[in-house]
Amino acid sequence: MAEGSKDQGGTGTPDSEEDSPNMIVYRKIEDIVMRIQDEKAGGVAIRTVKSFLSKIPSVVSGADIVQWLMKNLTIEDPAEAIHLGSLIAAHGYIFPISDHVLTLKDDGTLYRFQSPYFWPSNCWEPENTDYAIYLCKRTMQNKARLELADYEAENLARLQRAFARKWEFIFMQAEAQVKIDRKKDKAERKILDSQERAFWDVHRPVPGCVNTTEMDIRKCRREKNPHRVKKSVYGVPDDGQSQPSPVHISSQPARKPTKEDVKKEITFLNIQLDRHCMKVSKVADSLMSYTEQFMEYDPFVSAMEPSNPWISDDISFWDLETSRDPSQQRVKKWGFSLEEALKDPVGRDQFLKFLESEFSSENLRFWLAVQDLKRRPFREVPSRAQEIWQEFLAEGAPSSINLDSHSYERTSQNLKDPGRYSYEDAQEHIFKLMKSDSYARFLRSNIYQDLLLARKKGKSLTGKRLTGLMQSS
């Protein structure tokens, strides 16, 4: 499998890039990866693992990779081998088959090797249209392993709004790719799906993970041609211009930049300079205020009552967190933001109770109905989407909500082909409405203030009782 992909991929790159620091690192990593895969020369055995109902082809364990690195690269410290393996994984050369986070673990976690076609040395710079096609493909395949993660679903919704005019074309491309994939052998398809997913985990990483493909503007400026030509993963034309599929051919000699090249470079750098930036001092202040606000909720920084479940076997803390009788800490947290209030089931119920007293509960009920729609099985989505429309947005709806004309038009247009994110614009508008209006009144209301004061009194009374018991003993 890996050898066939290697023939497909090739590694032809321009001469100017062969000597770049990135390319030198890639070549060293690829040399290590090829040695690991070479079983005849003492590499790691690539095997098929049997699970409960299926087989997992072409995998190795994280522990096997760590042991090979220590043995063949004369590394004595396991932590150093894990760090090196994680760097290799971060660039997408190896990846876990059941996780989007590209790190290496020294245990039985199963990993797979990336196809050389998708190696970063091939200078990939995939377009957002390619990413949209990939996410569309995932939604069309009714497999649990291909279900979109939350951040991917949000990315798909954003891309659908950004490419509204060409979404039909993107959808057709995704359908064509799915038809081609279905003709392949089941085991081969499973491997290719995971390799494609790992490629996008590198180029569109999980929020919070490092993007190893991102290049600093100053580093771009030092290179001869920072405005590199972007390649389409699926051969999709950009803005009607035909582009070939990215099959790597022999490189062309570097040419002297023309006037057009310089103009493109200036345009590219101006775009980079116009990106939204914040002063480091403001970012630091924001981070510090956030840390101070949530410090008492961090069990590794503050003492938890009645005990810390992270360092003991007592789970009383978790029981209190899920209790219908919230603690003072939980009630206080509702005041941080509307998001925090809606995360807590009791906070959500109290906010709904307040909205009912103001005869505006339909806003929150609509928001919750849309959240539920996003988690529904795909076959139930069209019918549920129509039910939400009839209840909240149709003419003469029993629980009519107020939407601006733009959100209403976008939503009605989306419902012609209903999906999980058809109500994204309407939900965002209603959320902002509740956040700027109802939520502020909720924090000043007797419902919230009485609950907050009652919890404070309850906490002080409990403290007095404990003090009295300690003194009597």
Side-chain angles (χ1 to χ4, degrees), residues 58 120 149 222-223 247 375 406 435 440:
S58 303
R222 286 196 296 268
E223 292 195 352
V247 177
R375 302 184 183 97
H406 174 73
K435 187 174 182 178

Side-chain angles (χ1 to χ4, degrees), residues 188-206:
E188 181 187 4
R189 189 167 68 244
K190 191 178 288 188
I191 293 170
L192 291 173
D193 285 341
S194 67
Q195 290 174 336
E196 188 178 21
R197 188 206 71 190
F199 171 80
W200 287 111
D201 286 341
V202 173
H203 292 273
R204 299 293 188 276
V206 179

Side-chain angles (χ1 to χ4, degrees), residues 351-366:
F351 186 48
L352 181 60
K353 182 180 175 182
F354 167 75
L355 291 176
E356 285 172 349
S357 69
E358 289 200 333
F359 305 100
S360 59
S361 62
E362 65 277 357
N363 288 336
L364 181 56
R365 286 191 286 110
F366 170 75

Side-chain angles (χ1 to χ4, degrees), residues 127 166 169 229 232 235-244 264:
E127 296 278 7
K166 57 191 296 188
F169 171 73
V229 176
S232 171
V236 180
D238 183 28
D239 296 329
Q241 297 176 5
S242 61
Q243 287 184 344
K264 286 181 180 179

Side-chain angles (χ1 to χ4, degrees), residues 22 202-203 210-217 219-220 275:
N22 282 6
V202 173
H203 292 273
V210 176
N211 187 346
T212 56
T213 65
E214 197 169 56
M215 188 174 287
D216 185 87
I217 184 172
K219 191 173 181 181
C220 283
R275 290 171 62 184

Side-chain angles (χ1 to χ4, degrees), residues 291-316:
T291 304
E292 289 168 2
Q293 188 178 46
F294 284 89
M295 186 177 290
E296 62 178 299
Y297 298 92
D298 190 335
F300 294 104
V301 178
S302 305
M304 296 286 105
E305 295 181 1
S307 64
N308 190 336
W310 296 101
I311 58 176
S312 69
D313 295 329
D314 186 4
I315 60 170
S316 303

Side-chain angles (χ1 to χ4, degrees), residues 105 168 245 392:
K105 298 177 183 177
E168 186 178 352
S245 184
F392 297 101

Side-chain angles (χ1 to χ4, degrees), residues 324-365:
R324 299 298 299 178
D325 186 22
S327 63
Q328 190 262 343
Q329 265 195 328
R330 280 174 66 186
V331 176
K332 181 182 174 183
K333 199 175 183 181
W334 302 347
F336 291 173
S337 66
L338 179 56
E339 290 89 344
E340 292 295 336
L342 295 179
K343 279 180 188 176
D344 192 320
V346 181
R348 193 163 56 239
D349 292 343
Q350 291 296 329
F351 186 48
L352 181 60
K353 182 180 175 182
F354 167 75
L355 291 176
E356 285 172 349
S357 69
E358 289 200 333
F359 305 100
S360 59
S361 62
E362 65 277 357
N363 288 336
L364 181 56
R365 286 191 286 110

